[in-house]
Amino acid sequence: MSVTTLVRHLEIPWGVTFLPDGGALVTERRTSRILKVGPGRTPTGELTVAAVATITEARADNEGGLLGIAASPTFVKDRTVFIYYTTKTDNRIAKLRLGGRPQPIVTGIPGGGLHNGGRLAFGPDGYLYASTGDASRTENAQNPDNLGGKILRMTVDGKPAPGNPSPGLLVWSYGHRNPEGMAWDSHGNMFVAEIGEAVWDELNVVQPGRNYGWPMVEGIGGNAKYDDPIVTWHPEVGVSADVAIKGRTAVVTCLRGQRIYLVTLDGAIAHGVNSRLVEGGTADTPGMRWRPGAGVAGRPVEALVTEYGRLRTAINAPDGSIWLTTSNRDGRNEQGPSPDDDRILRLTLRSASGAAGG
């Protein structure tokens, strides 16, 4: 694999979405700015950066602020993006036409200083998905009438999408603590990276209507009532923040663990088998458990350990690479930020198929 720096000197970059011109929009959690990154280059070869909006409605409070962003599938025509942000009273999702003000489409998502979730992405079905946290109130995750601790699925107007498990509700899955990463493979399987409490962080294969256990279960519990994750990590080597899928490889970023994991996915996932129903045990290594035969082909491989500090966002770029963002200016890196932080990194794997490289 290879890593190059695309941008330096950002302030807690959180969400990334790509535009038809090859550039990207990037949110900064604390400043509430939306930046246009690229496609132009500076004289040093890095991507150009320009602020295009400031979301004054967003309130930066610890883990809250301006979080996820997703460009409309019809951006060329409507120049609209969708943003997820924290206010004094809640988290909300809004439409934003660049140059205008946010128009909320979903309000009342529990918010606070911690566990806001916040990722936005359009799925392969064309609908908008959002990850929400429990906002430090664990009962939210199991309450079907509460929007906290869920994956939500909606139309571009913020209405429940056709085919949701419960007609008339936004909820796609529940029992989540603080999911911050979402991605799909080429078969349409949805993967969610989730930050646990003090024992296990998770990589889940998410299916509609399923219960992922929080707060009843953390990690691989083996209870048929809940869907188990396919990989779990202890926080000291994890705090899994996001996931991108390249071929058969899931690239999972870690905040506290200051690394990525390359998780090779097996045929059970490729054929859409519910990992909860696949028989088999778990494999263990210090700080990590995974499920051979239930989604994972072998031991996940660590990479970039402590090289760039805390790593948050992972997203597939139009050129076949994966963009990663650092999160070293959030006050949680004990070594403090480097002079170049925060950065956007460009990760390329060894082959176009996504095979893990070293």
Side-chain angles (χ1 to χ4, degrees):
M1 76 170 54
S2 65
V3 179
T4 56
T5 296
L6 296 175
V7 175
R8 304 169 201 264
H9 309 137
L10 301 183
E11 183 72 25
I12 317 177
W14 208 100
V16 179
T17 190
F18 289 97
L19 300 179
D21 68 0
L25 295 177
V26 178
T27 63
E28 288 186 320
R29 187 177 74 194
R30 182 181 291 156
T31 69
S32 300
R33 297 191 304 173
I34 299 176
L35 308 176
K36 174 69 183 297
V37 175
R41 298 273 178 173
T42 69
T44 63
E46 295 186 4
L47 294 178
T48 56
V49 178
V52 295
T54 299
I55 309 304
T56 57
E57 295 85 346
R59 179 174 181 261
D61 176 19
N62 200 348
E63 294 178 1
L66 180 58
L67 303 175
I69 187 168
S72 164
T74 55
F75 182 86
V76 171
K77 294 181 179 180
D78 56 34
R79 292 187 58 78
T80 295
V81 297
F82 296 81
I83 55 175
Y84 186 115
Y85 57 95
T86 311
T87 73
K88 292 182 179 180
T89 59
D90 64 359
N91 283 302
R92 54 186 56 185
I93 301 166
K95 281 184 178 180
L96 174 69
R97 184 176 174 86
L98 293 182
R101 300 310 310 163
Q103 299 178 351
I105 60 171
V106 177
T107 60
I109 301 169
L114 300 172
H115 310 171
N116 292 288
R119 194 67 59 187
L120 292 178
F122 279 91
D125 56 8
Y127 292 109
L128 180 63
Y129 290 75
S131 68
T132 71
D134 69 4
S136 298
R137 296 184 287 277
T138 58
E139 66 274 13
N140 289 343
Q142 293 291 325
N143 182 350
D145 298 320
N146 189 289
L147 295 179
K150 310 293 191 299
I151 303 298
L152 308 180
R153 179 175 177 262
M154 68 199 73
T155 69
V156 294
D157 296 316
K159 305 301 182 183
N164 277 5
S166 296
L169 296 183
L170 294 169
V171 175
W172 185 246
S173 64
Y174 64 110
H176 301 282
R177 180 179 181 267
N178 192 22
E180 291 190 358
M182 297 188 295
W184 289 263
D185 67 11
S186 60
H187 301 274
N189 297 301
M190 184 183 191
F191 295 79
V192 170
E194 183 164 345
I195 299 172
E197 186 173 34
V199 183
W200 294 111
D201 305 306
E202 301 179 352
L203 178 63
N204 284 291
V205 181
V206 167
Q207 297 192 351
R210 297 303 308 168
N211 185 345
Y212 290 84
W214 177 254
M216 312 308 293
V217 177
E218 185 178 357
I220 299 172
N223 186 329
K225 183 178 179 180
Y226 309 111
D227 276 30
D228 280 337
I230 59 172
V231 190
T232 62
W233 295 272
H234 285 317
E236 60 269 21
V237 295
V239 183
S240 48
D242 204 356
V243 56
I245 309 294
K246 184 68 175 173
R248 291 180 55 217
T249 299
V251 179
V252 180
T253 59
C254 296
L255 292 165
R256 183 176 170 188
Q258 299 191 21
R259 68 195 69 194
I260 62 172
Y261 285 96
L262 305 176
V263 181
T264 302
L265 306 173
D266 70 11
I269 296 298
H271 291 90
V273 175
N274 186 339
S275 65
R276 183 180 64 87
L277 302 179
V278 176
E279 295 182 359
T282 61
D284 296 78
T285 196
M288 177 168 54
R289 302 180 74 193
W290 70 97
R291 302 192 65 202
V296 182
R299 180 188 182 279
V301 177
E302 301 97 333
L304 309 184
V305 180
T306 70
E307 290 186 38
Y308 298 98
R310 293 163 54 83
L311 295 170
R312 182 178 296 280
T313 299
I315 186 170
N316 290 87
D319 66 359
S321 67
I322 293 173
W323 282 22
L324 308 173
T325 70
T326 70
S327 192
N328 293 315
R329 292 190 172 276
D330 59 11
R332 296 188 176 185
N333 186 334
E334 294 180 357
Q335 289 73 42
S338 79
D340 288 333
D341 283 324
D342 273 315
R343 288 172 275 190
I344 298 176
L345 307 170
R346 180 179 184 270
L347 169 71
T348 56
L349 300 179
R350 186 175 61 193
S351 69
S353 67

